[in-house]
Amino acid sequence: MIRRDFSERDIHMALDGELPADERGAYDAWLDTNPEMKARSARFTADREALRSAFAGVLDEPVPARLRKVVLGETPVKTVIPRSRWWLAAAAAVLLVTGGFGGYFAGMDGIGQENPAEDRLAEQAIAAHVIYAAEKRHAVEVPASDKDHLQTWLSNRVGLKLVAPDLTANGFQLVGGRLLPAGDSKAAMLLYEDDKGERISLFVTAESVENAKGTYASAQDGPQAVYWLDKGYGCAVVGSLPREQLAVVAKNAYGQLLAGLAS
Amino acid sequence: MDEKKAAILGEIPRLRRYARSLLRDRDSADDLVQDCLERALMRLDNWQTGESPRRWLFTIMHHLFIDQMRKVNRRGEAAMLPLEAGEAVAQPAEQLEGIASREIIDALQAISPDRRAALVLVAIEGFSYAEAANMLGVPAGTLMSRIARGREELRGLLDDTARRRAIRIVEK
């Protein structure tokens, strides 16, 4: 049996079938004497099985006709101009998914920031929601009946082209909006209400330098914030709806906000 | 049908699986496969006899994927896109997905594209380090470190997801 020092690197090699067969015995013995490494190996093994099973079904799906046609030459082969769809989704997935785990990455980089920008945004948004959504008569400064002015005013103050999203598809009507402080800059808050009086708010600020996305709650049973940060702006949707429902409304709102920013 | 085309046809299910692990959304993944097939057919002559069609096709697709990811990042167009992504992510996508699968698929999407590709090629697609390094055009050492970091990141994200399921209480 070959004697050598093993390390975490060998866990990966063993898992991937890259460990020389004659080292396997020594490796297994090493694992047995290192409970921590053994546990790590077990977790990675389980993750691999989960990954494989998550995608196993794809092989059994019928091959889409359009792909067969490409190979069989039934559609003329054109110059490859990447279709928009897949890379749009890819890019978006990066934006939407990656940031949600910002805390983890921060920790990994050894920065260990407990209160990064995304937490700050979410906290400000939740604080604003808690205060103003509870107000019956003074919830907003500019009512929805004056929507054009509301949008122009907030856009000018915040420094972003703001278009109040239409959330009627989710059952929410615009109540109005107000201007708020957000750190050193300003934020726009748009308040919405459904026919049961349930309120959600959108909190938009032009101050953000990072990409992040996630869900945040500052207290048990309190409202939650679904937020996005991108270069140049941050947005949080706050409400006490069930999380899935909030996420759906938030996506709708965010999509429209972005479309508005770009218009 | 000539042999080369038959061989390419036979690889479509594997290409679709790889694309799905890179992009998640089914239609987007199939679009990537279609781009790959179109490019492959234009370059049939580049396919050397004896070379595995799988490795050749995977290499083409990987380059399409990485090129686009880089362009997107450089142009900063990501900001324009979440509408699409919202749809992609919001889709209960694959009905077959259980919660565990969905979590690991989400986590996989969250790791960097380079690490994701390296990990998937080896852990799901079963390529050797040498084969995968060759497809990705990186030295074996780089591939190994991407796999190791990719696995750690993935595990960290899964732990994180579990942690986030419990509502965070901020102490001030």
Side-chain angles (χ1 to χ4, degrees):
Chain A
M1 202 191 268
I2 294 171
R3 286 225 146 281
R4 72 169 174 96
D5 288 334
F6 290 97
S7 68
E8 193 164 339
R9 177 189 160 96
D10 295 291
I11 293 177
H12 297 285
M13 293 185 69
L15 194 54
D16 297 327
E18 299 279 338
L19 197 68
D22 58 0
E23 291 184 6
R24 187 79 209 194
Y27 167 76
D28 287 339
W30 172 76
L31 265 195
D32 281 335
T33 58
N34 285 276
E36 196 185 319
M37 288 296 161
K38 193 162 187 172
R40 191 164 271 260
S41 162
R43 279 197 299 273
F44 286 155
T45 308
D47 288 346
R48 183 183 61 179
E49 296 321 308
L51 269 180
R52 286 182 175 172
S53 78
F55 291 100
V58 180
L59 293 186
D60 299 325
E61 290 173 9
V63 171
R66 62 167 164 137
L67 299 181
R68 293 180 59 85
K69 282 181 185 163
V70 173
V71 181
L72 298 173
E74 287 163 26
T75 40
V77 172
K78 48 185 180 339
T79 338
V80 173
I81 302 160
R83 308 193 141 61
S84 55
R85 249 199 98 119
W86 70 261
W87 63 267
L88 290 182
V94 170
L95 175 67
L96 282 177
V97 185
T98 314
F101 306 98
Y104 171 71
F105 289 117
M108 225 173 48
D109 293 337
I111 303 164
Q113 289 280 353
E114 271 300 300
N115 193 18
E118 59 193 273
D119 283 4
R120 213 164 50 237
L121 173 82
E123 282 168 9
Q124 287 168 345
I126 289 174
H129 182 82
V130 167
I131 294 171
Y132 294 111
E135 286 287 329
K136 286 284 168 263
R137 292 181 56 196
H138 305 289
V140 297
E141 287 173 297
V142 179
S145 55
D146 208 357
K147 188 174 165 190
D148 288 345
H149 168 65
L150 173 70
Q151 293 181 154
T152 315
W153 171 58
L154 288 177
S155 297
N156 289 340
R157 288 293 181 274
V158 175
L160 286 172
K161 189 165 184 324
L162 270 182
V163 175
D166 178 354
L167 302 179
T168 47
N170 306 103
F172 285 92
Q173 306 288 343
L174 181 67
V175 177
R178 59 167 60 242
L179 185 66
L180 294 170
D184 296 334
S185 90
K186 297 165 189 161
M189 178 187 177
L190 296 172
L191 191 70
Y192 291 78
E193 191 174 62
D194 71 5
D195 53 13
K196 294 189 288 291
E198 182 72 40
R199 286 175 162 184
I200 56 168
S201 58
L202 261 68
F203 187 89
V204 186
T205 160
E207 186 198 31
S208 165
V209 287
E210 60 180 293
N211 287 351
K213 180 250 177 186
T215 312
Y216 186 97
S218 65
Q220 213 142 11
D221 303 327
Q224 287 203 328
V226 177
Y227 60 83
W228 288 268
L229 296 183
D230 202 342
K231 287 199 172 61
Y233 60 89
C235 162
V237 179
V238 188
S240 301
L241 307 175
R243 191 163 161 169
E244 291 74 23
Q245 197 189 341
L246 186 66
V248 171
V249 182
K251 270 172 190 141
N252 183 14
Y254 187 57
Q256 293 187 47
L257 270 179
L258 274 188
L261 288 176
S263 68
Chain B
M1 183 171 46
D2 68 48
E3 270 176 49
K4 280 185 171 181
K5 286 190 174 179
I8 293 175
L9 267 186
E11 294 301 331
I12 293 180
R14 294 285 295 256
L15 289 170
R16 291 184 74 230
R17 181 171 67 177
Y18 181 44
R20 196 82 62 86
S21 65
L22 293 175
L23 292 171
R24 194 183 213 285
D25 172 64
R26 180 201 292 245
D27 289 338
S28 306
D30 280 342
D31 283 346
L32 173 58
V33 175
Q34 188 167 343
D35 283 346
C36 165
L37 294 172
E38 287 175 357
R39 180 164 287 194
L41 287 167
M42 283 192 305
R43 298 180 176 185
L44 268 184
D45 297 341
N46 292 4
W47 180 10
Q48 282 144 23
T49 341
E51 187 183 357
S52 143
R54 182 168 300 166
R55 288 207 297 261
W56 180 62
L57 289 164
F58 268 67
T59 307
I60 292 174
M61 196 161 79
H62 176 76
H63 287 142
L64 280 169
F65 169 70
I66 289 296
D67 284 354
Q68 279 305 328
M69 293 298 281
R70 290 200 180 122
K71 276 183 203 158
V72 165
N73 283 341
R74 204 163 46 231
R75 290 190 205 132
E77 282 182 7
M80 302 285 295
L81 311 171
L83 246 181
E84 291 266 345
E87 287 159 14
V89 176
Q91 266 181 11
E94 321 315 325
Q95 272 71 32
L96 303 170
E97 279 177 18
I99 288 176
S101 287
R102 203 171 309 140
E103 278 182 4
I104 203 158
I105 291 171
D106 283 344
L108 186 66
Q109 293 302 306
I111 69 177
S112 84
D114 283 333
R115 292 177 186 173
R116 194 188 319 155
L119 184 58
V120 165
L121 285 177
V122 171
I124 300 180
E125 299 301 333
F127 290 107
S128 70
Y129 283 179
E131 287 170 326
N134 201 271
M135 283 176 205
L136 304 189
V138 297
T142 307
L143 178 89
M144 285 188 66
S145 94
R146 284 184 187 174
I147 290 171
R149 285 164 179 273
R151 272 203 183 108
E152 283 157 20
E153 226 182 288
L154 193 70
R155 174 70 344 235
L157 292 173
L158 292 168
D159 290 343
D160 209 51
T161 308
R163 202 157 45 79
R164 272 178 188 249
R165 238 184 265 128
I167 291 178
R168 289 166 59 185
I169 297 170
V170 177
E171 291 169 2
K172 291 264 170 180

